[in-house]
Structure formats: C-alpha cells, structure tokens
Amino acid sequence: MLNVYAAMWCPHCVRTIEYLKSKNIQFTYLDIEKQPDDIVQKVIDANGGEDWVIPTLEFKGKWREGKVFNAAELERDLKEMGVI
C-alpha cells in the first residue's frame, strides 16, 4: 500500500491526494503531525535529513521526497516506485 505522509493544511498534499483518488490509486493517509518520532525521522531522512517536507510518499521501502504538486512528475515517480 502507498503511504502518503501529509497534512490537510498543505495545498500540495491536498492536490496529491485528489490526484491519487482520481486515478483510483489506493493509499493510506498519514497525518505527519500525528506520527511517532521514529516515523517522522524516516520522513526527515527521505527529505535529505534536515526537516520533514510533505507530501512524502513511501511504497514498499521506496521513498519520494516532498515536492510541489506536478501531475506529470507525480505520475512518473509513481511508475518508478512501482505503484502504477
């Protein structure tokens, strides 16, 4: 299952979630602000080790760092991760 670390106040997160729903891609939404410290640290590590950036995606141990929403780039990254 695709994990989406995000927050509903984040416009790029909202657009990413809307995109996933529109493509019928199943995912688990994980509010970054409600995650335990060890999970937050994994998100920080996936984003270069400085701070967490959202939306950060994880699928079967493959991570996509937080990025500004871009549908074509997101689709390409989901393919590379093996989600689609």
Side-chain angles (χ1 to χ4, degrees), residues 17-83:
I17 290 166
E18 289 171 352
Y19 173 89
L20 294 171
K21 288 179 178 178
S22 75
K23 300 292 184 180
N24 294 316
I25 298 171
Q26 293 195 3
F27 64 93
T28 300
Y29 170 81
L30 299 154
D31 186 331
I32 189 66
E33 296 177 314
K34 295 181 180 176
Q35 298 308 303
D37 290 343
D38 62 322
I39 299 297
V40 172
Q41 187 59 53
K42 288 181 183 183
V43 173
I44 291 169
D45 292 343
N47 284 283
E50 295 294 323
D51 201 356
W52 54 264
V53 181
I54 51 176
T56 297
L57 310 181
E58 183 271 328
F59 182 72
K60 296 184 178 180
K62 295 180 183 177
W63 290 83
R64 178 186 192 258
E65 68 276 6
K67 296 183 180 181
V68 171
F69 179 80
N70 175 296
E73 189 176 320
L74 178 57
E75 183 176 345
R76 182 197 71 221
D77 291 348
L78 290 172
K79 286 179 181 176
E80 286 180 10
M81 293 172 75
V83 176

